[in-house]
Amino acid sequence: MASFLRTPLFSVDLSISSRIDDSLRMSASSSLRVRRPGTADLKVSGSVKRNTCLIVQASKEPLELTRELREKQKTTFEEKNDELDPFEELKPRFLNFKKRVYLENLDHYQNLAEGQAPKFMVIACADSRVCPSNILGFQAGEAFTVRNVANLVPPFQHGASEVNAGLEFAVNSLQVANILVVGHSRCGGIRALMSMKRDDDTRSFIRDWVSIGKTARLSTEAAAGNLSFEKQCKHCEKESVNTSLLNLLTYPWIEERVNEGTLSLHGGYYDFTDCSFEKWTLVYRQCLQGGSKYSIKNRSFWS
């Protein structure tokens, strides 16, 4: 009995044998190698049960190929990005400016590095087609410029904005002698102003901003209400410049300098459909009794 307990009821003999068949090996370009199914012999009480299993072994060579492909894809992606980079167009322009403008006028630019003393402050539209430096040929240091939608100047009571912050600095610190407000043809901001519905309470940044020019719209409707919408817009583009000139006089320190004769206010209109420019100067007579305190002088047309 004791010997029977010491004798196992059955015995298990597990052995693994495997052979690699070259005929089943995949080509070197594959990422996998397949070994011939190995055999596992399981003996139970003298009987044998054979199980087969598939052994997959990774090859090292294709890893190098995969890495090369990934590097190539990365390089291609970077090349495409370089092709789409808009700053690649700006780089040669800057280098050309440095070579032909900056370095050839080095003394002038070194003086500007110490400070600026522009004669003009220019208020122009943000429209990409009407850069005042391109149109009027302003050089570095000649014009302190603020650009916004529809080249509008809010009145003094409107509160802080980039326009009156620029005005304060240009007039009180830089002491510019001229402020030029430049309007232009086919202005999207003026079109938005002329298109606003009176009973529309919709709020937007553009609507709130161009509403500064509502006086110009009213003047346009009174003077050109019988004309086509396009002609009304063109009329308002010029009238809004005059509105901005009058708004300038609501700033006490601007009005004071205009009365002293140390500051002049000018209007301009650039028509890019035929490349023409119209210019005029506002005359302000604070002490004038009766009649209008405002008039226009020195109107000229360049074409």
Side-chain angles (χ1 to χ4, degrees):
M1 185 69 172
S3 62
F4 176 77
L5 292 175
R6 289 194 297 266
T7 304
L9 295 176
F10 59 87
S11 63
V12 178
D13 182 8
L14 180 63
S15 63
I16 303 291
S17 62
S18 61
R19 294 178 304 166
I20 298 177
D21 189 344
D22 292 336
S23 64
L24 295 177
R25 183 175 299 172
M26 299 179 66
S27 64
S29 62
S30 170
S31 61
L32 296 176
R33 289 179 180 172
V34 180
R35 286 170 35 177
R36 190 174 188 84
T39 58
D41 297 338
L42 182 63
K43 298 180 180 180
V44 182
S45 298
S47 64
V48 177
K49 182 178 181 181
R50 176 164 295 181
N51 291 336
T52 61
C53 60
L54 183 66
I55 300 175
V56 179
Q57 180 177 357
S59 171
K60 293 182 179 179
E61 291 84 358
L63 291 179
E64 294 298 328
L65 178 60
T66 302
R67 188 177 295 109
E68 291 176 5
L69 289 174
R70 288 178 179 175
E71 289 297 328
K72 184 176 181 180
Q73 290 174 350
K74 181 180 178 181
T75 302
T76 303
F77 178 76
E78 290 175 350
E79 289 175 352
K80 288 182 178 180
N81 279 349
D82 290 339
E83 292 175 2
L84 299 176
D85 186 0
F87 286 92
E88 288 300 314
E89 298 179 8
L90 300 184
K91 180 179 178 180
R93 298 183 195 178
F94 169 75
L95 295 177
N96 183 67
F97 160 78
K98 182 176 182 179
K99 178 181 179 181
R100 300 184 179 277
V101 181
Y102 181 86
L103 293 178
E104 290 184 6
N105 301 275
L106 187 58
D107 290 342
H108 174 64
Y109 281 94
Q110 287 180 339
N111 289 334
L112 286 178
E114 301 301 322
Q116 57 176 323
K119 295 180 179 179
F120 281 88
M121 176 179 181
V122 178
I123 299 171
C125 185
D127 193 303
S128 63
R129 300 167 290 184
V130 293
C131 176
S133 294
N134 285 344
I135 298 167
L136 298 173
F138 287 117
Q139 301 302 308
E142 291 184 343
F144 184 83
T145 306
V146 173
R147 300 178 68 178
N148 63 60
V149 173
N151 44 268
L152 296 172
V153 176
F156 178 78
Q157 299 81 3
H158 185 268
S161 71
E162 79 284 355
V163 179
N164 44 41
L167 285 168
E168 184 176 58
F169 180 70
V171 174
N172 293 337
S173 298
L174 299 178
Q175 299 183 6
V176 296
N178 303 275
I179 298 178
L180 171 63
V181 181
V182 182
H184 69 93
S185 57
R186 298 182 180 177
C187 179
I190 296 301
R191 180 176 289 270
L193 171 65
M194 293 298 296
S195 301
M196 288 193 309
K197 306 298 181 183
R198 299 184 186 278
D199 56 350
D200 186 3
D201 295 330
T202 304
R203 298 295 299 274
S204 74
F205 292 120
I206 294 177
R207 180 184 175 87
D208 290 349
W209 175 254
V210 299
S211 293
I212 294 171
K214 60 186 177 182
T215 302
R217 171 175 168 163
L218 293 174
S219 298
T220 296
E221 290 173 342
N226 60 328
L227 302 179
S228 67
F229 180 73
E230 295 297 328
K231 291 183 178 180
Q232 288 185 50
C233 286
K234 185 167 186 175
H235 186 281
C236 191
E237 287 163 358
K238 296 182 179 182
E239 193 62 35
S240 68
V241 173
N242 289 326
T243 298
S244 289
L245 292 176
L246 295 180
N247 284 345
L248 285 171
L249 291 169
T250 64
Y251 294 82
W253 23 273
I254 290 180
E255 183 187 26
E256 179 182 357
R257 282 177 166 76
V258 170
N259 284 323
E260 293 173 350
T262 58
L263 178 63
S264 298
L265 307 181
H266 312 275
Y269 181 79
Y270 170 56
D271 190 338
F272 54 67
T273 63
D274 61 4
C275 195
S276 61
F277 193 87
E278 188 175 356
K279 169 263 174 189
W280 61 94
T281 299
L282 177 69
V283 177
Y284 175 60
R285 303 181 184 88
Q286 184 184 32
C287 300
L288 183 65
Q289 299 296 326
S292 175
K293 296 182 178 181
Y294 314 102
S295 64
I296 298 297
K297 72 173 184 178
N298 298 336
R299 185 183 292 274
S300 56
F301 186 80
W302 309 333
S303 64

